[in-house]
Amino acid sequence: MLIRKAVIPAAGFGTRFLPFTKSVPKELAVLVDKPVIQYVVEEAAACGITDILMIVSSGKEAIARHFNPDFELESRLESSGKAELLRQLREISSLARIHYVYQHELDGLGGALRCAEEFIGDEPFAVLLGDTVCSGTRPVLAELLEVFQATASSVVALERVPEEKVSRYGVVGGSAAEGLKSNALKLDELVEKPEKENAPSNLAIASRYVFTPGIFGALSAVGRGKNNEVQLTDAMKLLLKSEAMYGVEIEGKRHDIGDKLSFLCNTVEFALKRPEFRDDLIKFLKGKLENC
Ligand code: UTP
C-alpha cells in the first residue's frame, strides 16, 4: 500500500531557542537560505507524499505564508527577469498539497499527532518532525517506506548515539528482522530516556516515523504522561503490545535545529556543502580559528 499522507508537527513553543522563537517559528530558522521546514517538506515530496498536514499553533502563521504562492512577488520577479528565483519560489508551493490544523493546547508530540486523526482517517501515514532535517544520499523517509512496504507495520528511524547520551532519547531494543536489510530491526522494547545501564541499545528514535492508524487508538488510551504531555513513546509502547513494529538504522544523518548550538553547527555544515560559499567560508573560519 502506497503512503501518500504525512504529518509534520510544528506547533511547539521552541523554548530551547528563545528569544528567537518568541515571534518566529523555529521551523522557519534558516539553514543557509532555506527554512528548515522546507527541507522537511522536500524530503516528504521526494518520497511520493502528496498531502501534508502541518500541525501549527497560534503565532506560527508564517509557516503557511512560506508555502502559499505569493503572486505579487512572482510577477515582480518575472518582470525583472529573475527567472531562477521565480522557479525556486514556484517550486515551494508545488511540492505537495499542504493542509493546516491548530494544536490549541501544546500537550506534546503525542498531543500534536492526535490533531491529525481526522485528516489521516484509517490509513498508514508518515510523520516528519518539523525542526529536524535529514541529509544523506537517500531520503530517510524512503528507507522507512521500504520497510513498511515489506512489513505493513509501523517503522521508526533509528540513529546510533554515544552510550553516555542515551538518557536524552527514546531508545529501542530488538533483533534482526528476517527478510529485511541488515539495518532493520524488529522491535521488542522501547524505553524513554533510560539510564546508560538500563538502555536496551544505543539506538535512538530519530524524528521520522511511519505509523499504522492503530497509533491513534494508542494515543487516546495512554492520555497524558510525563510533564503532563501526551508522550508519543508511551503510545508506541502500547501499540507494540498489539502490533509488530520495526526500526531502521538510518544511513543518512539527522540535523536537529531545536537548540542553539546544534543550529549553529548545522548552519556551518550546510554552508560548507554549497560550492558558492565553501572556499570563502573555510578561509573565514580558518582566520577565526587562528585567533582562538
Ligand atoms: P520538541 O520536542 O523540540 O519541542 O518538538 P518544542 O516544544 O518545539 O521545543 P522545546 O523543547 O520547547 O525547545 C519536536 C517537534 O514537534 C513539534 C515541534 O514544533 C517540533 O517541530 N511539537 C512539539 C508540536 O507540534 N506540538 C507540541 O506540543 C510539541
Side-chain angles (χ1 to χ4, degrees):
M1 180 179 190
L2 287 180
I3 292 189
R4 296 287 182 216
K5 288 183 182 171
V7 177
I8 301 184
F13 280 122
T15 46
R16 287 168 298 154
F17 214 145
L18 281 167
F20 169 63
T21 42
K22 181 162 184 286
S23 60
V24 184
K26 72 173 160 182
E27 294 78 8
L28 288 182
V30 65
L31 283 179
V32 186
D33 54 5
K34 253 197 270 182
V36 165
I37 200 158
Q38 187 182 329
Y39 290 89
V40 179
V41 170
E42 285 172 352
E43 178 185 341
C47 298
I49 299 294
T50 55
D51 286 85
I52 292 174
L53 181 70
M54 297 246 184
I55 315 289
V56 293
S57 53
S58 175
K60 290 199 153 186
E61 290 72 20
I63 294 180
R65 282 205 295 281
H66 182 72
F67 290 101
N68 286 342
D70 181 337
F71 298 116
E72 207 179 326
L73 177 58
E74 285 181 20
S75 84
R76 178 67 65 90
L77 292 173
E78 197 157 24
S79 59
S80 55
K82 299 199 164 115
E84 175 50 23
L85 278 179
L86 182 62
R87 189 196 61 74
Q88 284 182 26
L89 227 67
R90 286 189 170 146
E91 203 172 86
I92 300 173
S93 33
S94 62
L95 286 164
R97 282 184 291 272
I98 304 186
H99 315 257
Y100 300 87
V101 67
Y102 276 81
Q103 182 184 2
H104 293 292
E105 203 181 343
L106 297 185
D107 54 356
L109 187 52
L113 282 194
R114 289 189 71 182
C115 303
E117 186 167 1
E118 200 181 312
F119 172 82
I120 295 297
D122 192 26
E123 54 182 294
F125 63 103
V127 177
L128 303 95
L129 297 194
D131 64 350
T132 307
V133 179
C134 291
S135 66
T137 46
R138 216 178 149 209
V140 166
L141 182 59
E143 296 180 53
L144 268 56
L145 290 174
E146 196 177 292
V147 175
F148 172 79
Q149 291 308 336
T151 62
S153 302
S154 298
V155 190
V156 297
L158 300 173
E159 182 186 48
R160 222 167 261 288
V161 296
E163 265 167 31
E164 61 281 6
K165 290 190 179 161
V166 285
S167 60
R168 297 184 191 175
Y169 298 94
V171 175
V172 304
S175 51
E178 220 174 289
L180 299 178
K181 282 191 191 161
S182 60
N183 63 342
L185 283 182
K186 187 165 192 295
L187 305 187
D188 52 32
E189 208 179 340
L190 286 164
V191 193
E192 185 63 16
K193 301 189 171 62
E195 290 308 317
K196 189 173 131 187
E197 298 70 34
N198 306 325
S201 73
N202 64 338
L203 285 168
I205 300 174
S207 62
R208 300 289 186 265
Y209 315 76
V210 171
F211 286 122
T212 64
I215 195 69
F216 293 117
L219 283 165
S220 6
V222 293
R224 286 168 191 253
K226 203 170 168 202
N227 301 333
N228 203 25
E229 292 183 343
V230 184
Q231 298 291 340
L232 179 58
T233 316
D234 291 347
M236 287 168 62
K237 271 162 106 166
L238 186 62
L239 189 65
L240 188 58
K241 290 186 181 161
S242 57
E243 290 184 17
M245 199 178 284
Y246 292 81
V248 180
E249 189 179 343
I250 60 175
E251 284 165 21
K253 194 174 162 197
R254 191 177 63 96
H255 309 266
D256 175 0
I257 58 87
D259 74 85
K260 294 169 192 178
L261 182 62
S262 67
F263 170 72
L264 290 172
C265 298
N266 284 314
T267 299
V268 175
E269 193 173 331
F270 274 65
L272 286 172
K273 288 186 203 170
R274 295 278 289 265
E276 71 269 45
F277 302 125
R278 188 179 161 81
D279 292 348
D280 287 341
L281 184 60
I282 290 176
K283 219 181 284 169
F284 170 80
L285 291 171
K286 279 187 174 157
K288 286 282 165 204
L289 289 172
E290 269 161 24
N291 298 323
C292 284

